[in-house]
Each structure stands twice: as C-alpha cells, then as structure tokens.
Coordinates of all heavy atoms in Angstrom, one line a residue:
G1 N -3.0 -13.1 -0.9 CA -2.6 -13.0 -2.3 C -1.7 -14.1 -2.8 O -1.8 -14.5 -3.9
A2 N -0.8 -14.5 -1.9 CA 0.0 -15.6 -2.3 C -0.8 -16.9 -2.5 O -0.4 -17.7 -3.3 CB 1.1 -15.8 -1.2
I3 N -1.8 -17.1 -1.7 CA -2.6 -18.3 -1.8 C -3.4 -18.3 -3.1 O -3.5 -19.3 -3.8 CB -3.6 -18.4 -0.6 CG1 -2.8 -18.7 0.7 CG2 -4.7 -19.4 -0.8 CD1 -3.6 -18.6 2.0
I4 N -4.0 -17.1 -3.5 CA -4.8 -17.1 -4.7 C -3.9 -16.6 -5.9 O -4.5 -16.4 -7.0 CB -6.0 -16.2 -4.5 CG1 -5.6 -14.7 -4.2 CG2 -6.9 -16.7 -3.4 CD1 -6.8 -13.7 -4.2
D5 N -2.6 -16.4 -5.7 CA -1.7 -16.1 -6.8 C -2.0 -14.7 -7.4 O -1.9 -14.6 -8.6 CB -1.6 -17.2 -7.8 CG -0.3 -17.1 -8.6 OD1 0.7 -16.6 -8.1 OD2 -0.3 -17.5 -9.8
V6 N -2.3 -13.7 -6.5 CA -2.6 -12.4 -7.0 C -1.8 -11.5 -6.0 O -1.9 -11.6 -4.8 CB -4.1 -12.0 -6.9 CG1 -4.3 -10.5 -7.3 CG2 -4.9 -12.9 -7.9
P7 N -0.9 -10.6 -6.5 CA -0.1 -9.7 -5.6 C -0.9 -8.6 -4.9 O -0.8 -7.4 -5.2 CB 1.0 -9.2 -6.6 CG 0.3 -9.1 -7.9 CD -0.7 -10.3 -7.9
L8 N -1.7 -9.0 -3.9 CA -2.6 -8.0 -3.3 C -1.8 -7.1 -2.3 O -2.2 -6.0 -2.1 CB -3.6 -8.7 -2.5 CG -4.6 -9.6 -3.3 CD1 -5.6 -10.3 -2.3 CD2 -5.4 -8.7 -4.2
G9 N -0.6 -7.6 -1.8 CA 0.2 -6.7 -0.9 C 0.6 -5.5 -1.5 O 0.7 -4.4 -0.9
R10 N 1.0 -5.5 -2.8 CA 1.5 -4.3 -3.5 C 0.4 -3.2 -3.6 O 0.6 -2.0 -3.6 CB 2.1 -4.6 -4.8 CG 1.1 -4.8 -5.9 CD 1.7 -4.9 -7.3 NE 2.6 -6.1 -7.3 CZ 3.1 -6.6 -8.4 NH1 2.7 -6.2 -9.5 NH2 3.9 -7.7 -8.3
Y11 N -0.9 -3.7 -3.7 CA -2.0 -2.7 -3.8 C -2.2 -2.0 -2.4 O -2.5 -0.8 -2.4 CB -3.3 -3.4 -4.3 CG -3.1 -4.0 -5.6 CD1 -3.3 -5.4 -5.8 CD2 -2.7 -3.2 -6.7 CE1 -3.1 -5.9 -7.1 CE2 -2.5 -3.8 -8.0 CZ -2.7 -5.1 -8.2 OH -2.5 -5.7 -9.4
V12 N -2.0 -2.8 -1.3 CA -2.2 -2.2 0.0 C -1.1 -1.1 0.2 O -1.3 0.0 0.7 CB -2.0 -3.2 1.1 CG1 -2.0 -2.6 2.5 CG2 -3.2 -4.2 1.0
V13 N 0.1 -1.4 -0.3 CA 1.2 -0.4 -0.2 C 0.9 0.8 -1.0 O 1.1 1.9 -0.6 CB 2.6 -1.1 -0.6 CG1 3.7 -0.1 -0.7 CG2 3.0 -2.2 0.4
L14 N 0.5 0.6 -2.3 CA 0.2 1.7 -3.1 C -1.0 2.6 -2.6 O -0.9 3.8 -2.6 CB -0.2 1.3 -4.5 CG 0.9 0.7 -5.4 CD1 0.4 0.1 -6.7 CD2 2.0 1.8 -5.6
I15 N -2.0 2.0 -2.0 CA -3.1 2.7 -1.4 C -2.7 3.6 -0.2 O -3.2 4.7 0.0 CB -4.3 1.8 -1.1 CG1 -4.9 1.3 -2.4 CG2 -5.3 2.5 -0.2 CD1 -5.9 0.1 -2.2
T16 N -1.8 3.0 0.6 CA -1.4 3.7 1.9 C -0.2 4.5 1.8 O 0.2 5.1 2.7 CB -1.3 2.7 3.0 OG1 -0.2 1.7 2.6 CG2 -2.5 1.9 3.3
M17 N 0.4 4.6 0.6 CA 1.7 5.3 0.4 C 1.6 6.8 0.7 O 2.4 7.3 1.6 CB 2.3 5.1 -1.0 CG 3.7 5.5 -1.1 SD 4.4 5.3 -2.8 CE 4.1 3.5 -3.0
V18 N 0.7 7.5 0.1 CA 0.6 8.9 0.3 C 0.1 9.3 1.7 O 0.8 10.1 2.4 CB -0.3 9.6 -0.8 CG1 -0.6 11.0 -0.5 CG2 0.3 9.4 -2.2
P19 N -0.9 8.7 2.2 CA -1.3 9.1 3.6 C -0.2 8.7 4.6 O -0.1 9.4 5.6 CB -2.6 8.3 3.9 CG -2.8 7.4 2.8 CD -1.9 7.8 1.6
S20 N 0.5 7.6 4.4 CA 1.6 7.3 5.3 C 2.7 8.3 5.3 O 3.3 8.7 6.3 CB 2.2 5.9 5.0 OG 1.2 4.9 5.1
F21 N 3.0 8.8 4.1 CA 4.0 9.9 4.0 C 3.5 11.2 4.7 O 4.3 11.8 5.4 CB 4.3 10.2 2.5 CG 5.4 11.2 2.3 CD1 6.7 10.9 2.6 CD2 5.0 12.5 1.8 CE1 7.7 11.9 2.5 CE2 6.0 13.4 1.7 CZ 7.3 13.1 2.0
T22 N 2.3 11.5 4.5 CA 1.8 12.8 5.1 C 1.7 12.7 6.6 O 2.1 13.7 7.3 CB 0.4 13.2 4.6 OG1 -0.5 12.2 4.8 CG2 0.5 13.5 3.1
V23 N 1.3 11.5 7.2 CA 1.3 11.4 8.6 C 2.7 11.4 9.2 O 3.0 11.9 10.3 CB 0.5 10.2 9.1 CG1 1.2 8.9 8.9 CG2 0.1 10.3 10.5
T24 N 3.7 10.9 8.4 CA 5.1 10.9 8.8 C 5.6 12.4 8.9 O 6.3 12.7 9.8 CB 5.9 10.1 7.9 OG1 5.4 8.7 7.9 CG2 7.4 10.1 8.3
V25 N 5.2 13.1 7.9 CA 5.6 14.6 7.9 C 5.0 15.3 9.1 O 5.7 16.0 9.8 CB 5.2 15.2 6.6 CG1 5.3 16.7 6.6 CG2 6.0 14.7 5.4
R26 N 3.8 15.1 9.4 CA 3.1 15.7 10.5 C 3.7 15.2 11.8 O 3.8 16.0 12.8 CB 1.6 15.5 10.5 CG 0.9 16.2 9.3 CD -0.6 16.2 9.5 NE -1.2 14.8 9.7 CZ -1.6 14.0 8.8 NH1 -1.5 14.3 7.5 NH2 -2.1 12.8 9.2

C-alpha cells in the first residue's frame, strides 16, 4: 500500500479486528 500510495494495512486490521478479538476471548 505504501508503494501504490493506498493505506491497505488499515483495511487488513479492520477486517481481522472482530475475529481476532473473539479468538483472544476463547
């Protein structure tokens, strides 16, 4: 994303936020 000047990293974080939280709880 830095190469093409689009913040793609934040989309990965947003997509994985809820399942990461639930697996942490489990």
Side-chain angles (χ1 to χ4, degrees):
I3 291 170
I4 64 171
D5 201 25
V6 177
L8 296 175
R10 77 172 62 160
Y11 300 120
V12 172
V13 171
L14 288 173
I15 290 169
T16 61
M17 190 179 305
V18 172
S20 295
F21 181 72
T22 59
V23 77
T24 303
V25 169
R26 291 192 310 269

